[in-house]
Amino acid sequence: MKLNLGIDAGGTYTDAVVVRSPDDSIIASYKALTTYPDPLDGIREALDGIDQNILSQIDVVSVSTTLSTNTILEGTGFPVGLILVGDYFISTDLPTEHFIQVKGGHDSKGAEAEPLDENAVREFAQRTKEHVSAFAVSSYFSIRNHEHELRVKEIVRNITGMPVVCAHELSQDLGAFERAVTAFFNAQLLPITEKFMSSVEFEIRNRGMKAKIFMLKCDGSVVGIKGALEKPIESIFSGPAGSLVGASFLSKKDSCAVIDVGGTSTDVSVIREGVPEMSESGAVVGGWKTRVKAIRMETSALGGDSDIWVGSGKVNFGPRRVIPLCRAAAQFPKFLEQLATNPMPSKALLGRNFQPTKFYIRTDYEPLELTDLETEILNAIPAEPTSLKEIRSRINKYPASKHLDTLMQKRLIQPISFTPTDALHVLGEYTEYNAEASRIGAQHLAPLYKMEAEEFASYVKREFAKNMAADLVSFFLEKISREEIRNIFDVESPIQFKVHVPVVLIGGPVVAYLEEMKKLIDAEIILPEFASVGNAAGALAAKGIRRFEILIRPVSMAAPDWEFYVYSEKGRENFYEYEEALEHALKLGKDTIYEYMKEAGLDPDSVNIDIKKDEVILEGSDTLVETKIVVLGIAEHIEEDE
């Protein structure tokens, strides 16, 4: 009997599930709170909830997480220095204040467009190294020739000793700016992912398990620890990818749409005939377009732990994730009294960070680059709930909202506030924690919107369900804005959207929204058993997938049959004969896939190889302009140990 353990560390909960092979039956599961910012305690508690005799028999551990996604959505990643090489046209703000554009880069054939300005790179690295945790470099047309990226990496590492991420290591797709953004976020996530995966591995080994450890990627496949640490950007949306694969696994539906309600976000995706639908242009997260191959997904920064606050005459949802009042009261014995006696902020102060339900706690992250005033505010907030009134008494004034935002963005403090989870506690539909704290919170906020407490909670629940329905419809109606679709659900009408594929609900207390969703959407809506741990189940149901793309082009169209370039993530190579170039490309693709599977601990003998070849012929002739080859390898099994 083979036992596999799935772990999903989400924004709110950390789930563990054990699946027995070969009948794929779930024999144990447990749900624990995610500990923030260090997930180790939550992972430990989730594993403590599984029979230790079962854990001793585990062969494989597979992990999924929303950690990377939430880091980008919340803007709480580590500072990164970004180096752009070549003739970039930047039409929008970059995701970092630490960046430079230097001379260099290549053309579409991989020829050097301009020599690399190495002195500018050295000066930037020297000037920036005290302010960042890593560097990212993207060079123009590095997918055709990445020697400038590699040279920048060498220079920066010699000067700083810090990690440097090259854009060509992550994507071979056109789109220089998107590759730069992808490299930036990958660099930003390096320390966070390293801490997370080392925590997982430590806990697994500390319990005497010799199991192989994998991490779920955002395309619904798994990767070994080494690959996960090198390319953490590929774990964005691994939580939703897990829920998609897990929903199909739990519902026994090869084709279905999935709504995954997490603590920070709600995600919609679809699987058809057992294959996740992929994004053609790359994952978009927090408004940033990347070149990461991921499942196609509609995501909104609204989850069970989204901040509910009243301001500007309306009830606002998120986008920040907070600790629910009910959970804070269960964790801190004195919090209930603090909440009950907390005064209403003046109308002049009332806003997102100033609410009668708003408190702050300090995390254990080390401060980096704070102003004196930010340091003063941080020192006034201990590791227990602190009201704005208490902060004011310690620094003799109310903190500015922008300074609180900065401290939250740097993960130094975390807010406590009313959430959709609290609304369900008020209504008695989910009572995992302290419902009295939720009721007090609703009593504080409801009068600001001229409602009674229970009426306010019902309103929050109903609006949240409408947002779920709008996310689902928006996924299928791509050319219509989500705002337009969301407005339709506020109109009293006999018209109802019909969805012709089953809709599976995954995540925490989604059962509370089942009846509301049936009123809003005409579809087969399924709430499978073990829906609350669907992501963890999906981490185990995933397969090993590796894609390798190659482009073959003539060196010169003046002599298109004479010499050829082969472009791939391995670099640019020359061949005089087309057949020789094609043979090399296919062998390179297959060898890379087999090597990847073996390094990841997947069984190379179980790999199925699929090759797609598209040829572009010059119009009006038989001259070959371009050959694009995609070699796809899928491993069905983990490699067995001797």
Side-chain angles (χ1 to χ4, degrees), residues 557 560 616-625:
M557 287 307 298
V616 179
I617 306 296
L618 188 65
E619 189 174 350
S621 73
D622 59 356
T623 302
L624 188 65
V625 175

Side-chain angles (χ1 to χ4, degrees), residues 149-440:
E149 285 188 0
L150 294 176
R151 179 57 181 151
V152 169
K153 182 175 185 175
E154 181 183 17
I155 293 170
V156 174
R157 292 201 66 172
N158 286 340
I159 292 174
T160 68
M162 292 180 181
V164 183
V165 175
C166 295
H168 79 269
E169 298 169 337
L170 303 169
S171 172
Q172 287 297 298
D173 289 342
L174 290 170
F177 182 75
E178 289 81 3
R179 289 200 309 277
V181 169
T182 305
F184 166 80
F185 282 128
N186 197 78
Q188 190 180 66
L189 294 168
L190 285 173
I192 295 170
T193 303
E194 183 174 8
K195 185 175 183 180
F196 173 74
M197 289 305 291
S198 63
S199 296
V200 172
E201 186 173 24
F202 172 82
E203 190 58 30
I204 294 298
R205 303 304 178 217
N206 196 44
R207 291 172 183 264
M209 284 186 273
K210 298 180 180 179
K212 291 184 176 180
I213 304 174
F214 296 86
M215 191 167 185
L216 189 69
K217 293 165 57 180
C218 53
D219 62 358
S221 67
V222 290
V223 63
I225 287 183
K226 180 182 176 182
L229 293 178
E230 288 175 351
K231 300 181 180 181
I233 187 68
E234 291 185 347
S235 72
I236 61 170
F237 301 147
S238 76
S243 73
L244 176 61
V245 178
S248 177
F249 172 78
L250 294 174
S251 66
K252 310 301 181 186
K253 299 287 186 181
D254 286 340
S255 297
C256 61
V258 178
I259 302 179
D260 176 21
V261 179
T264 306
S265 63
T266 295
D267 309 305
V268 179
S269 52
V270 69
I271 189 167
R272 302 182 192 276
E273 302 298 328
V275 179
E277 185 171 314
M278 302 295 292
S279 169
E280 294 182 2
S281 57
V284 178
V285 57
W288 292 102
K289 189 175 182 180
T290 73
R291 280 290 178 255
V292 179
K293 301 292 186 185
I295 61 170
R296 188 170 82 82
M297 180 176 58
E298 182 85 19
T299 185
S300 61
L302 294 173
D305 291 352
S306 289
D307 187 9
I308 303 295
W309 53 284
V310 180
S312 303
K314 63 179 181 178
V315 179
N316 301 276
F317 286 69
R320 184 165 281 130
R321 170 186 173 270
V322 299
I323 299 174
L325 300 176
C326 56
R327 184 140 44 91
Q331 185 176 354
F332 301 99
K334 297 180 181 179
F335 178 67
L336 199 62
E337 183 180 351
Q338 282 180 282
L339 176 63
T341 58
N342 196 38
M344 178 74 67
S346 68
K347 288 186 178 180
L349 285 174
L350 200 64
R352 183 178 61 188
N353 292 330
F354 290 81
Q355 296 278 298
T357 54
K358 190 77 72 172
F359 293 79
Y360 299 91
I361 59 172
R362 182 168 179 168
T363 71
D364 61 0
Y365 269 103
E366 290 297 321
L368 180 66
E369 283 200 312
L370 297 183
T371 65
D372 291 343
L373 186 52
E374 289 165 353
T375 300
E376 184 182 21
I377 296 169
L378 180 62
N379 290 337
I381 302 174
E384 57 188 28
T386 307
S387 68
L388 291 161
K389 181 182 177 182
E390 289 172 311
I391 297 173
R392 182 182 184 278
S393 69
R394 292 167 187 165
I395 65 174
N396 297 318
K397 58 184 174 183
Y398 281 112
S401 187
K402 67 177 181 179
H403 294 142
L404 291 171
D405 282 335
T406 297
L407 294 175
M408 284 183 275
Q409 287 166 359
K410 294 186 176 183
R411 295 189 171 215
L412 299 173
I413 63 172
Q414 189 177 13
I416 299 169
S417 188
F418 192 84
T419 67
T421 298
D422 286 302
L424 296 182
H425 276 72
V426 173
L427 299 172
E429 298 181 13
Y430 183 65
T431 54
E432 186 76 15
Y433 306 108
N434 192 312
E436 180 61 22
S438 299
R439 281 191 287 271
I440 293 172

Side-chain angles (χ1 to χ4, degrees), residues 268 296 298 468-483 485-486 489 497:
V268 179
R296 188 170 82 82
E298 182 85 19
M468 288 173 61
D471 288 341
L472 176 68
V473 175
S474 177
F475 179 89
F476 291 109
L477 301 180
E478 295 181 73
K479 295 183 179 180
I480 302 176
S481 74
R482 185 195 180 279
E483 290 70 25
I485 293 170
R486 175 62 183 82
F489 288 104
F497 286 104

Side-chain angles (χ1 to χ4, degrees), residues 53-243:
N53 290 327
I54 292 177
L55 289 182
S56 66
Q57 303 174 58
I58 295 296
D59 297 289
V60 171
V61 177
S62 192
V63 184
S64 71
T65 179
T66 59
L67 186 65
S68 296
T69 312
N70 294 347
T71 296
I72 297 173
L73 285 175
E74 295 175 349
T76 53
F78 282 74
V80 168
L82 177 61
I83 301 170
L84 304 175
V85 182
D87 189 21
Y88 278 78
F89 173 70
I90 303 172
S91 60
T92 184
D93 291 336
L94 289 165
T96 176
E97 61 182 290
H98 307 293
F99 71 91
I100 189 173
Q101 188 167 0
V102 303
K103 293 179 180 179
H106 294 78
D107 63 21
S108 60
K109 291 186 176 181
E112 187 177 70
E114 195 172 8
L116 174 66
D117 188 346
E118 296 189 2
N119 288 333
V121 174
R122 292 189 184 92
E123 190 276 332
F124 176 75
Q126 192 68 46
R127 169 167 48 89
T128 312
K129 66 179 182 179
E130 300 299 328
H131 308 288
V132 300
S133 300
F135 287 83
V137 53
S138 179
S139 179
Y140 211 67
F141 271 116
S142 62
I143 59 172
R144 300 291 182 258
N145 191 327
H146 43 247
E147 61 181 17
H148 282 184
E149 285 188 0
L150 294 176
R151 179 57 181 151
V152 169
K153 182 175 185 175
E154 181 183 17
I155 293 170
V156 174
R157 292 201 66 172
N158 286 340
I159 292 174
T160 68
M162 292 180 181
V164 183
V165 175
C166 295
H168 79 269
E169 298 169 337
L170 303 169
S171 172
Q172 287 297 298
D173 289 342
L174 290 170
F177 182 75
E178 289 81 3
R179 289 200 309 277
V181 169
T182 305
F184 166 80
F185 282 128
N186 197 78
Q188 190 180 66
L189 294 168
L190 285 173
I192 295 170
T193 303
E194 183 174 8
K195 185 175 183 180
F196 173 74
M197 289 305 291
S198 63
S199 296
V200 172
E201 186 173 24
F202 172 82
E203 190 58 30
I204 294 298
R205 303 304 178 217
N206 196 44
R207 291 172 183 264
M209 284 186 273
K210 298 180 180 179
K212 291 184 176 180
I213 304 174
F214 296 86
M215 191 167 185
L216 189 69
K217 293 165 57 180
C218 53
D219 62 358
S221 67
V222 290
V223 63
I225 287 183
K226 180 182 176 182
L229 293 178
E230 288 175 351
K231 300 181 180 181
I233 187 68
E234 291 185 347
S235 72
I236 61 170
F237 301 147
S238 76
S243 73

Side-chain angles (χ1 to χ4, degrees), residues 1-54:
M1 179 176 67
K2 186 175 181 180
L3 299 181
N4 300 328
L5 170 67
I7 300 172
D8 175 64
T12 304
Y13 293 103
T14 295
D15 303 328
V17 62
V18 178
V19 174
R20 180 178 59 207
S21 295
D23 62 351
D24 289 336
S25 59
I26 295 177
I27 64 170
S29 67
Y30 195 79
K31 199 171 191 69
L33 279 174
T34 294
T35 46
Y36 185 90
D38 186 350
L40 180 57
D41 287 342
I43 293 170
R44 184 178 292 122
E45 184 182 344
L47 295 180
D48 284 343
I50 303 292
D51 188 314
Q52 299 308 294
N53 290 327
I54 292 177

